[in-house]
PDB file of all heavy atoms in Angstrom:
ATOM      1  N   ILE B 282     -19.508 -84.632  58.514  1.00 96.00           N
ATOM      2  CA  ILE B 282     -18.186 -84.164  58.076  1.00 96.00           C
ATOM      3  C   ILE B 282     -17.103 -85.138  58.462  1.00 96.00           C
ATOM      4  O   ILE B 282     -16.229 -85.502  57.640  1.00 96.00           O
ATOM      5  CB  ILE B 282     -17.896 -82.750  58.664  1.00 96.00           C
ATOM      6  CG1 ILE B 282     -18.853 -81.722  58.079  1.00 96.00           C
ATOM      7  CG2 ILE B 282     -16.435 -82.355  58.422  1.00 96.00           C
ATOM      8  CD1 ILE B 282     -18.813 -80.378  58.761  1.00 96.00           C
ATOM      9  N   GLU B 283     -17.157 -85.627  59.695  1.00 96.00           N
ATOM     10  CA  GLU B 283     -16.112 -86.561  60.171  1.00 96.00           C
ATOM     11  C   GLU B 283     -16.171 -87.881  59.400  1.00 96.00           C
ATOM     12  O   GLU B 283     -15.130 -88.441  59.060  1.00 96.00           O
ATOM     13  CB  GLU B 283     -16.310 -86.804  61.655  1.00 96.00           C
ATOM     14  CG  GLU B 283     -15.970 -85.577  62.514  1.00 96.00           C
ATOM     15  CD  GLU B 283     -16.238 -85.799  63.989  1.00 96.00           C
ATOM     16  OE1 GLU B 283     -17.125 -86.629  64.316  1.00 96.00           O
ATOM     17  OE2 GLU B 283     -15.606 -85.120  64.808  1.00 96.00           O
ATOM     18  N   LYS B 284     -17.360 -88.343  59.113  1.00 96.00           N
ATOM     19  CA  LYS B 284     -17.525 -89.612  58.406  1.00 96.00           C
ATOM     20  C   LYS B 284     -17.083 -89.507  56.945  1.00 96.00           C
ATOM     21  O   LYS B 284     -16.435 -90.417  56.402  1.00 96.00           O
ATOM     22  CB  LYS B 284     -18.984 -90.099  58.481  1.00 96.00           C
ATOM     23  CG  LYS B 284     -19.227 -91.437  57.779  1.00 96.00           C
ATOM     24  CD  LYS B 284     -20.687 -91.841  57.910  1.00 96.00           C
ATOM     25  CE  LYS B 284     -20.925 -93.166  57.196  1.00 96.00           C
ATOM     26  NZ  LYS B 284     -22.362 -93.592  57.297  1.00 96.00           N
ATOM     27  N   THR B 285     -17.413 -88.358  56.316  1.00 96.00           N
ATOM     28  CA  THR B 285     -17.162 -88.206  54.879  1.00 96.00           C
ATOM     29  C   THR B 285     -15.727 -87.724  54.581  1.00 96.00           C
ATOM     30  O   THR B 285     -15.108 -88.205  53.644  1.00 96.00           O
ATOM     31  CB  THR B 285     -18.153 -87.201  54.271  1.00 96.00           C
ATOM     32  OG1 THR B 285     -19.508 -87.621  54.572  1.00 96.00           O
ATOM     33  CG2 THR B 285     -17.989 -87.102  52.774  1.00 96.00           C
ATOM     34  N   LEU B 286     -15.242 -86.793  55.414  1.00 97.00           N
ATOM     35  CA  LEU B 286     -13.953 -86.178  55.111  1.00 97.00           C
ATOM     36  C   LEU B 286     -12.838 -86.511  56.099  1.00 97.00           C
ATOM     37  O   LEU B 286     -11.667 -86.547  55.700  1.00 97.00           O
ATOM     38  CB  LEU B 286     -14.141 -84.631  55.078  1.00 97.00           C
ATOM     39  CG  LEU B 286     -15.165 -84.070  54.116  1.00 97.00           C
ATOM     40  CD1 LEU B 286     -15.240 -82.539  54.265  1.00 97.00           C
ATOM     41  CD2 LEU B 286     -14.841 -84.442  52.697  1.00 97.00           C
ATOM     42  N   GLY B 287     -13.204 -86.756  57.348  1.00 96.00           N
ATOM     43  CA  GLY B 287     -12.186 -86.955  58.351  1.00 96.00           C
ATOM     44  C   GLY B 287     -11.468 -85.672  58.685  1.00 96.00           C
ATOM     45  O   GLY B 287     -11.913 -84.580  58.358  1.00 96.00           O
ATOM     46  N   TYR B 288     -10.294 -85.783  59.320  1.00 96.00           N
ATOM     47  CA  TYR B 288      -9.482 -84.614  59.646  1.00 96.00           C
ATOM     48  C   TYR B 288      -8.089 -84.830  59.036  1.00 96.00           C
ATOM     49  O   TYR B 288      -7.667 -85.967  58.828  1.00 96.00           O
ATOM     50  CB  TYR B 288      -9.367 -84.457  61.165  1.00 96.00           C
ATOM     51  CG  TYR B 288     -10.663 -84.078  61.850  1.00 96.00           C
ATOM     52  CD1 TYR B 288     -11.365 -85.026  62.601  1.00 96.00           C
ATOM     53  CD2 TYR B 288     -11.183 -82.790  61.751  1.00 96.00           C
ATOM     54  CE1 TYR B 288     -12.565 -84.705  63.214  1.00 96.00           C
ATOM     55  CE2 TYR B 288     -12.383 -82.472  62.366  1.00 96.00           C
ATOM     56  CZ  TYR B 288     -13.045 -83.416  63.116  1.00 96.00           C
ATOM     57  OH  TYR B 288     -14.231 -83.096  63.744  1.00 96.00           O
ATOM     58  N   PRO B 289      -7.418 -83.726  58.706  1.00 95.00           N
ATOM     59  CA  PRO B 289      -7.801 -82.322  58.848  1.00 95.00           C
ATOM     60  C   PRO B 289      -8.734 -81.871  57.729  1.00 95.00           C
ATOM     61  O   PRO B 289      -8.782 -82.479  56.657  1.00 95.00           O
ATOM     62  CB  PRO B 289      -6.467 -81.589  58.771  1.00 95.00           C
ATOM     63  CG  PRO B 289      -5.652 -82.438  57.852  1.00 95.00           C
ATOM     64  CD  PRO B 289      -6.041 -83.857  58.157  1.00 95.00           C
ATOM     65  N   VAL B 290      -9.433 -80.750  57.986  1.00 96.00           N
ATOM     66  CA  VAL B 290     -10.274 -80.119  56.966  1.00 96.00           C
ATOM     67  C   VAL B 290     -10.071 -78.611  56.998  1.00 96.00           C
ATOM     68  O   VAL B 290      -9.579 -78.055  58.021  1.00 96.00           O
ATOM     69  CB  VAL B 290     -11.783 -80.421  57.211  1.00 96.00           C
ATOM     70  CG1 VAL B 290     -12.106 -81.886  56.998  1.00 96.00           C
ATOM     71  CG2 VAL B 290     -12.233 -79.952  58.595  1.00 96.00           C
ATOM     72  N   PHE B 291     -10.419 -77.974  55.900  1.00 95.00           N
ATOM     73  CA  PHE B 291     -10.404 -76.516  55.860  1.00 95.00           C
ATOM     74  C   PHE B 291     -11.846 -76.021  55.765  1.00 95.00           C
ATOM     75  O   PHE B 291     -12.643 -76.532  54.970  1.00 95.00           O
ATOM     76  CB  PHE B 291      -9.615 -76.034  54.647  1.00 95.00           C
ATOM     77  CG  PHE B 291      -8.112 -76.210  54.780  1.00 95.00           C
ATOM     78  CD1 PHE B 291      -7.503 -77.359  54.327  1.00 95.00           C
ATOM     79  CD2 PHE B 291      -7.340 -75.230  55.414  1.00 95.00           C
ATOM     80  CE1 PHE B 291      -6.133 -77.548  54.470  1.00 95.00           C
ATOM     81  CE2 PHE B 291      -5.984 -75.421  55.581  1.00 95.00           C
ATOM     82  CZ  PHE B 291      -5.373 -76.569  55.098  1.00 95.00           C
ATOM     83  N   VAL B 292     -12.150 -75.030  56.598  1.00 96.00           N
ATOM     84  CA  VAL B 292     -13.506 -74.495  56.658  1.00 96.00           C
ATOM     85  C   VAL B 292     -13.482 -73.073  56.103  1.00 96.00           C
ATOM     86  O   VAL B 292     -12.664 -72.234  56.527  1.00 96.00           O
ATOM     87  CB  VAL B 292     -14.047 -74.479  58.089  1.00 96.00           C
ATOM     88  CG1 VAL B 292     -15.455 -73.922  58.160  1.00 96.00           C
ATOM     89  CG2 VAL B 292     -13.966 -75.872  58.717  1.00 96.00           C
ATOM     90  N   LYS B 293     -14.366 -72.789  55.118  1.00 94.00           N
ATOM     91  CA  LYS B 293     -14.310 -71.511  54.431  1.00 94.00           C
ATOM     92  C   LYS B 293     -15.700 -70.919  54.221  1.00 94.00           C
ATOM     93  O   LYS B 293     -16.640 -71.681  53.904  1.00 94.00           O
ATOM     94  CB  LYS B 293     -13.658 -71.683  53.049  1.00 94.00           C
ATOM     95  CG  LYS B 293     -12.292 -72.337  53.060  1.00 94.00           C
ATOM     96  CD  LYS B 293     -11.796 -72.558  51.614  1.00 94.00           C
ATOM     97  CE  LYS B 293     -10.439 -73.257  51.605  1.00 94.00           C
ATOM     98  NZ  LYS B 293      -9.953 -73.447  50.194  1.00 94.00           N
ATOM     99  N   PRO B 294     -15.858 -69.586  54.333  1.00 93.00           N
ATOM    100  CA  PRO B 294     -17.078 -68.959  53.804  1.00 93.00           C
ATOM    101  C   PRO B 294     -17.056 -69.161  52.296  1.00 93.00           C
ATOM    102  O   PRO B 294     -16.029 -69.070  51.661  1.00 93.00           O
ATOM    103  CB  PRO B 294     -16.895 -67.504  54.178  1.00 93.00           C
ATOM    104  CG  PRO B 294     -15.773 -67.440  55.169  1.00 93.00           C
ATOM    105  CD  PRO B 294     -14.893 -68.601  54.891  1.00 93.00           C
ATOM    106  N   ALA B 295     -18.217 -69.386  51.683  1.00 90.00           N
ATOM    107  CA  ALA B 295     -18.264 -69.677  50.257  1.00 90.00           C
ATOM    108  C   ALA B 295     -17.944 -68.457  49.412  1.00 90.00           C
ATOM    109  O   ALA B 295     -17.480 -68.592  48.287  1.00 90.00           O
ATOM    110  CB  ALA B 295     -19.633 -70.236  49.883  1.00 90.00           C
ATOM    111  N   ASN B 296     -18.196 -67.269  49.939  1.00 84.00           N
ATOM    112  CA  ASN B 296     -18.119 -66.064  49.108  1.00 84.00           C
ATOM    113  C   ASN B 296     -17.148 -65.002  49.593  1.00 84.00           C
ATOM    114  O   ASN B 296     -17.442 -63.813  49.522  1.00 84.00           O
ATOM    115  CB  ASN B 296     -19.503 -65.452  48.968  1.00 84.00           C
ATOM    116  CG  ASN B 296     -20.407 -66.256  48.066  1.00 84.00           C
ATOM    117  OD1 ASN B 296     -20.318 -66.161  46.865  1.00 84.00           O
ATOM    118  ND2 ASN B 296     -21.268 -67.065  48.666  1.00 84.00           N
ATOM    119  N   LEU B 297     -16.011 -65.411  50.097  1.00 72.00           N
ATOM    120  CA  LEU B 297     -14.985 -64.438  50.487  1.00 72.00           C
ATOM    121  C   LEU B 297     -13.640 -64.873  49.955  1.00 72.00           C
ATOM    122  O   LEU B 297     -13.401 -66.034  49.648  1.00 72.00           O
ATOM    123  CB  LEU B 297     -14.929 -64.295  52.025  1.00 72.00           C
ATOM    124  CG  LEU B 297     -15.862 -63.288  52.664  1.00 72.00           C
ATOM    125  CD1 LEU B 297     -15.591 -63.214  54.167  1.00 72.00           C
ATOM    126  CD2 LEU B 297     -15.734 -61.902  52.052  1.00 72.00           C
ATOM    127  N   GLY B 298     -12.721 -63.907  49.925  1.00 59.00           N
ATOM    128  CA  GLY B 298     -11.346 -64.197  49.532  1.00 59.00           C
ATOM    129  C   GLY B 298     -10.391 -63.654  50.541  1.00 59.00           C
ATOM    130  O   GLY B 298     -10.763 -63.334  51.682  1.00 59.00           O
TER     131      GLY B 298
END
Side-chain angles (χ1 to χ4, degrees):
I282 293 170
E283 291 176 333
K284 181 179 179 180
T285 306
L286 304 178
Y288 293 106
V290 293
F291 287 92
V292 181
K293 306 176 181 180
N296 287 280
L297 273 184

